Amino acid sequence: MKKQLFNKNWKFWEEKDSFALVWSIPENAQDIDLPHDAMIYEKPYAESPNGGNTGFRDGKNYSYAKYIDLTEADKDKKFILTFEGVYCNAFVYVNGILAGNNYYGYTGFCVPLNDYLNFGKSNEIRVQVRNGAMSNSRWYSGSGIYRDVYLLSGSALHIAAKGCLIKTLNLENRQAELEIKVPVQNEFPVSQEFELSVKIRNHEGEIVASDQRPYYLLAGESADLVTNLIIDEVDAWSAEHPYLYEVETCLLINGLERDDWTGTIGIRTLTVDSKNGFRVNGETVKFRGACIHHDSGLLGAATYRDVHLRQIEILKAAGFNALRMSHHPAAPSLLEACDELGMYVMDEAFDMWTHFKSDFDYSLVFKENWQRDIKAMIETDYNHPSVVMYSIGNEIPEIGTKHGSRLARQMNEKIKSTDDSRPTLSAINGVFAAGDHIMEIMAELAAEANMEFSGSVNDFMTMMATQMHRIVSHEKVSGIIELAAAATDIAGYNYMTPRYEKDAARFPNRVMVGSETYPPQIAQNWNIVCRTPAVIGDFTWTGWDYIGEAGVGIPAYKMGKGGFGAQYPAQLAYVGDIDITGFRRPASYYREIVFGLRKNPYIAVQNPHHFGEPLMKTPWVISDCVSSWTWKEVNDKHCVVEVYAPGDEVALFLNGQLIEKKAVGSEIPFVTYFELPFQPGTLKAVNYQNGQPIGETELTTGNFAAAKINVSVDYQAEELFYIVLSLEDGQGIVINDADQEIEIAALEGASLMGFGSADPKPLTNYTDVKAKTYNGRAQLIVKKDKKCSKLILISNGENFTFEF
């Protein structure tokens, strides 16, 4: 069917009265384009019923409306709306009549329109989004039609809205056999004779395989028409070589085209076992993985192709080759970016099943909807070569019970009935899965360690902080994992590093993956991953910072300022290797070194303003370090320098003088600590292997007196423009310890989409024209006006011009 983007010229308003006698669009309705996240415009406040889950922003009930004009001649066509994602509880009305609905906020759905249309007239499409029941998410969800919408139109004989499903059956010696399944529907009142044409083109546009054959369908009949094609001299897809082909299918009646479908595919095979690990095209792959949430940084949940292309480029440059979409199905635009740029994907179905994690979450409708939503995820992912495994759930408390294990088996069977080419897993947390046994386990371990344990919250948190490794290794947890992982191909281990090698020996057929892990443990984890075939990879929490779960990664020196007890205005989790603006944090460089992808050392400096103060941090935090030697009013005050480096020794120099030479990793692998009084100048680290230097890095103190805002383009895409506003001296050194407020006075040629910084406690909203730098940087995201060829930005009295 003809696929037309349906994003422009919508009306939007908040529904403050659920019952209304008059079905009309209010005069104060806003003109907006999709994708649109209504929640990002809500002002965060301390008393939000969502709390830190959404960064202290409320969800509300909203309506969207748009008109389509149809002629009498359009009666012979079929019209379908496809929504890629609406959060949440979406109700679609056509001319005031309910035509379709979808509860889950992360799966796409289709709404056939014909039965509700008035041909020869204007037709109102209205979408009501009911996100006012709080809380319903553990992270920032956004609100509204935050992904793309398409209008499909075509003949009564057409390819179904879900499109064709293409699978690689065999790939050997660069010859591939593909199965192309074309779902054809005949909605004519009479039978139809037609031909199905299938063509496959390579990246250069050349036809490499084709087929055409006749078919016959009765009136009202639907059928999946299957064609197998052989392709020679195949360029196989992998993350390292993301080669894509294009598939064209066409329905012809008497030689005339009646409908068509075009899509991209990658040709590749997947196998997994405990002896050879995870293999792509016969080659073993170890997943250098990042868990990510779905928000688009300062844009909130609004999903743009440009955002994902930028995000995947940055993640890949940082050394990742895989991501886990946490904890729900991925947006099609994200999967397209992963296909094109080369990134493996673990797509995840649910964060909850039958047990609630929030007051009004998906558990309310899980039993009635999980099969539909699993099917929607699989059909969306099917043709994307980047998707290499499916997770059926994250930290599901009931999965270790008999009924939970049965449900896991049913989900696995549902997936395999549509797609048997990808392995499945569930991301299991031993503590969560232990359920009613957890207090018993803790009491037993406390007694063995001569620790007091009364069952209080404080005792529980102490055990979690000090005995986690023993808890997840307990024999009762072993039995629970056996039941929980019985139905899936892979056992996903969340924070269960101590189990890897023991379970590899005890369960020789079990394949494991670190589906969620602590960033500071990457060296230990990666060592095990590399030498244990049954452990196929590590997925850190997280690769990219996100809105919500506020404070979990904020280091602090006072109670309530960070960690689990963080209070408003904390709005970000602050746990990502990459900050919310796309800037790499120190943990990212540490990970790159652990992966063996960087030879030069990396210097990070713990905040000298707090030297000697005890740092309160959660297990996701390495320290409060920043890669800078620019600090004010700390001369001669001691500070701790962290140097991440491969090799066996590291030397630290200040202004040409050797401070000390130390062995690498005496406390933590690849990390060397130095303590010295701060003096301005140049700090240099040199790393050695067997006495020979293999790399060096320098940090130089910036000139505070010469600091001014510098504006530069970070990323220029088809639709969005990313601009960095950094506080720099005359030598381009970022001044991180003297943050300034910035105001965007005017924009010409573009509209402001997001403005802010990586500050986990911002005092302005991302839709405001004011923001403050954080560690010397702020980010402005604008949407380009296609009628203009340049952008003029006026900030703090200065003019900046950029050509499109």
Side-chain angles (χ1 to χ4, degrees):
M1 303 181 80
K2 180 183 177 182
K3 188 176 181 180
Q4 176 185 351
L5 199 60
F6 204 61
N7 285 351
K8 299 292 186 183
N9 303 319
W10 287 78
K11 294 287 187 180
F12 165 80
W13 65 97
E14 180 187 344
E15 285 284 1
K16 295 185 178 181
D17 186 359
S18 295
F19 177 71
L21 292 175
V22 179
W23 188 269
S24 61
I25 298 175
E27 292 182 1
N28 63 348
Q30 301 174 38
D31 294 316
I32 60 106
D33 292 336
L34 306 179
H36 178 257
D37 174 18
M39 184 180 282
I40 202 65
Y41 294 91
E42 300 290 344
K43 185 176 180 179
Y45 66 108
E47 296 78 21
S48 170
N50 279 329
N53 288 3
T54 62
F56 297 94
R57 289 171 172 84
D58 285 355
K60 295 181 180 178
N61 299 331
Y62 304 99
S63 284
Y64 297 80
K66 176 174 171 137
Y67 289 89
I68 53 174
D69 296 323
L70 299 173
T71 67
E72 289 289 341
D74 289 323
K75 283 184 177 179
D76 295 331
K77 296 180 181 178
K78 295 297 174 182
F79 294 91
I80 299 172
L81 274 179
T82 64
F83 296 83
E84 292 188 344
V86 181
Y87 198 93
C88 60
N89 302 317
F91 296 83
V92 182
Y93 298 83
V94 181
N95 295 320
I97 306 300
L98 182 66
N101 66 287
N102 192 67
Y103 295 101
Y104 199 26
Y106 301 106
T107 47
F109 61 100
C110 296
V111 180
L113 302 180
N114 283 61
D115 290 343
Y116 313 95
L117 294 173
N118 296 319
F119 293 95
K121 297 181 180 180
S122 185
N123 296 266
E124 183 198 76
I125 307 296
R126 184 175 297 199
V127 182
Q128 290 189 351
V129 182
R130 310 196 71 79
N131 192 25
M134 299 178 279
S135 66
N136 59 54
S137 177
R138 295 192 304 112
W139 56 85
Y140 181 86
S141 59
S143 293
I145 310 177
Y146 70 99
R147 293 180 183 170
D148 289 332
V149 179
Y150 291 90
L151 176 64
L152 306 185
S153 59
S155 162
L157 178 71
H158 59 265
I159 297 168
K162 68 181 180 181
C164 303
L165 302 179
I166 298 118
K167 179 167 68 172
T168 303
L169 298 177
N170 294 295
L171 176 59
E172 189 174 356
N173 298 323
R174 295 195 68 191
Q175 185 182 81
E177 180 183 7
L178 301 186
E179 176 189 86
I180 300 95
K181 186 180 295 184
V182 185
V184 179
Q185 298 174 332
N186 177 24
E187 297 189 45
F188 278 109
V190 295
S191 59
Q192 294 292 318
E193 295 180 68
F194 62 95
E195 290 189 321
L196 170 63
S197 169
V198 179
K199 296 177 182 177
I200 300 177
R201 297 182 186 271
N202 61 19
H203 188 67
E204 291 70 36
E206 302 166 332
I207 296 175
V208 295
S210 63
D211 183 82
Q212 187 165 320
R213 60 185 70 176
Y215 288 98
Y216 176 74
L217 289 180
L218 299 177
E221 185 180 7
S222 299
D224 289 334
L225 307 181
V226 178
T227 301
N228 286 17
L229 294 179
I230 301 293
I231 302 177
D232 293 319
E233 302 300 317
V234 165
D235 273 307
W237 187 97
S238 67
E240 296 73 32
H241 182 70
Y243 192 93
L244 296 174
Y245 290 83
E246 186 172 81
V247 178
E248 301 172 357
T249 59
C250 182
L251 305 181
L252 303 151
I253 297 179
N254 297 323
L256 298 178
E257 180 181 310
R258 300 305 297 261
D259 197 23
D260 69 286
W261 177 92
T262 300
T264 57
I265 62 165
I267 298 174
R268 54 107 182 94
T269 59
L270 307 174
T271 58
V272 62
D273 62 70
S274 60
K275 304 302 179 185
N276 300 287
F278 199 104
R279 288 184 288 179
V280 178
N281 305 323
E283 299 292 329
T284 298
V285 170
K286 294 290 188 180
F287 295 116
R288 306 188 300 271
C291 297
I292 63 169
H293 271 315
H294 79 303
D295 71 61
S296 298
L298 307 185
L299 301 178
T303 301
Y304 292 88
R305 171 180 164 83
D306 292 347
V307 171
H308 289 312
L309 286 169
R310 175 178 179 267
Q311 184 179 40
I312 299 306
E313 282 187 11
I314 292 171
L315 287 167
K316 193 163 184 176
F320 292 109
N321 70 353
L323 62 83
R324 172 192 179 210
M325 188 65 249
S326 314
H327 306 287
H328 54 74
S333 57
L334 172 63
L335 300 182
E336 290 168 8
C338 292
D339 293 343
E340 293 176 23
L341 300 178
M343 181 71 72
Y344 299 115
V345 177
M346 175 198 300
D347 208 5
E348 192 154 60
F350 307 114
D351 186 50
M352 71 294 292
W353 294 352
T354 61
H355 286 205
F356 288 83
K357 293 184 178 180
S358 302
D359 292 341
F360 300 98
D361 64 25
Y362 181 71
S363 292
L364 283 167
V365 296
F366 173 84
K367 186 176 180 181
E368 297 81 13
N369 288 276
W370 73 261
Q371 295 192 57
R372 180 176 75 170
D373 289 321
I374 283 277
K375 184 172 184 288
M377 179 182 77
I378 301 306
E379 290 180 349
T380 295
D381 293 0
Y382 197 96
N383 293 339
H384 291 284
S386 57
V387 179
V388 295
M389 48 187 157
Y390 298 122
S391 169
I392 59 175
N394 171 65
E395 298 182 339
I396 304 299
E398 66 269 35
I399 197 171
T401 67
K402 290 181 291 185
H403 289 282
S405 178
R406 175 177 177 270
L407 187 50
R409 175 178 56 79
Q410 290 175 320
M411 285 190 185
N412 184 71
E413 291 170 352
K414 180 67 175 178
I415 290 172
K416 299 293 186 178
S417 68
T418 300
D419 183 2
D420 61 1
S421 69
R422 294 172 171 96
T424 58
L425 68 121
S426 178
I428 304 165
N429 184 310
V431 175
F432 278 57
D436 294 339
H437 298 290
I438 189 62
M439 301 306 285
E440 176 187 343
I441 293 170
M442 285 187 170
E444 178 186 324
L445 295 178
E448 292 177 4
N450 294 318
M451 298 172 63
E452 291 187 7
F453 184 77
S454 65
S456 68
V457 172
N458 287 339
D459 286 351
F460 181 89
M461 295 306 294
T462 299
M463 289 294 293
M464 289 288 288
T466 63
Q467 303 297 314
M468 182 73 164
H469 61 293
R470 298 179 65 211
I471 295 171
V472 299
S473 299
H474 196 275
E475 191 59 28
K476 280 190 171 64
V477 174
S478 298
I480 290 165
I481 293 174
E482 282 193 71
L483 196 59
T488 56
D489 304 301
I490 301 168
Y493 282 17
N494 283 18
Y495 309 111
M496 295 197 291
T497 297
R499 299 199 64 96
Y500 288 149
E501 293 179 290
K502 293 179 182 178
D503 285 0
R506 184 176 178 182
F507 306 101
N509 295 314
R510 180 178 294 177
V511 179
M512 294 162 281
V513 63
S515 40
E516 192 168 315
T517 62
Y518 295 123
Q521 291 184 347
I522 183 57
Q524 177 189 1
N525 292 346
W526 196 245
N527 181 276
I528 297 172
V529 168
C530 289
R531 56 187 169 83
T532 311
V535 183
I536 60 175
D538 178 275
F539 288 79
T540 188
W541 191 265
T542 61
W544 198 285
D545 196 16
Y546 56 96
I547 310 171
E549 290 191 301
V552 66
I554 299 177
Y557 303 92
K558 293 181 181 179
M559 293 297 294
K561 299 297 183 180
F564 294 113
Q567 304 295 316
Y568 178 83
Q571 294 166 46
L572 306 184
Y574 206 61
V575 293
D577 276 26
I578 316 293
D579 75 25
I580 199 167
T581 69
F583 184 76
R584 293 179 65 182
R585 299 172 65 194
S588 171
Y589 293 92
Y590 177 56
R591 186 179 310 278
E592 187 181 18
I593 288 166
V594 170
F595 285 156
L597 301 175
R598 177 186 171 99
K599 291 184 177 180
N600 285 331
Y602 182 84
I603 304 172
V605 181
Q606 295 181 13
N607 192 329
H609 295 293
H610 295 283
F611 177 80
E613 298 178 41
L615 178 67
M616 292 181 285
K617 61 178 184 175
T618 62
W620 293 272
V621 179
I622 295 176
S623 72
D624 67 348
C625 60
V626 177
S627 185
S628 175
W629 196 240
T630 301
W631 303 91
K632 64 180 180 181
E633 300 176 0
V634 294
N635 283 7
D636 297 321
K637 188 171 184 177
H638 276 240
C639 61
V640 175
V641 174
E642 304 175 5
V643 179
Y644 313 147
D648 52 29
E649 287 184 304
V650 168
L652 188 68
F653 300 84
L654 178 58
N655 297 326
Q657 298 296 312
L658 176 66
I659 301 299
E660 196 173 359
K661 191 175 186 180
K662 288 186 173 184
V664 169
S666 58
E667 298 178 45
I668 300 174
F670 302 99
V671 181
T672 308
Y673 296 95
F674 299 87
E675 182 182 321
L676 68 156
F678 179 85
Q679 289 293 331
T682 298
L683 192 68
K684 181 171 77 170
V686 181
N687 55 329
Y688 302 84
Q689 183 70 48
N690 299 323
Q692 298 298 314
I694 56 176
E696 64 178 56
T697 298
E698 291 184 352
L699 292 178
T700 300
T701 306
N703 182 353
F704 285 92
K708 61 178 293 186
I709 295 296
N710 179 64
V711 179
S712 60
V713 176
D714 170 54
Y715 188 83
Q716 182 175 350
E718 181 178 341
E719 191 171 13
L720 300 179
F721 219 83
Y722 283 77
I723 297 169
V724 176
L725 299 93
S726 52
L727 187 61
E728 299 179 6
D729 68 6
Q731 304 303 311
I733 297 172
V734 174
I735 308 300
N736 66 285
D737 200 22
D739 287 313
Q740 293 184 6
E741 187 175 89
I742 306 171
E743 181 176 2
I744 305 300
L747 273 175
E748 295 181 23
S751 55
L752 188 150
M753 300 296 290
F755 185 36
S757 72
D759 186 354
K761 302 177 182 180
L763 298 178
T764 56
N765 207 358
Y766 299 140
T767 56
D768 293 345
V769 296
K770 291 183 179 180
K772 190 175 183 180
T773 62
Y774 180 71
N775 288 330
R777 294 180 177 85
Q779 181 183 72
L780 172 66
I781 307 172
V782 301
K783 190 174 184 179
K784 297 182 291 187
D785 186 340
K786 293 184 178 179
K787 297 179 181 178
C788 297
S789 60
K790 64 182 178 180
L791 163 67
I792 300 174
L793 165 67
I794 303 175
S795 173
N796 290 18
E798 292 194 61
N799 287 36
F800 303 91
T801 302
F802 304 96
E803 300 292 332
F804 288 167

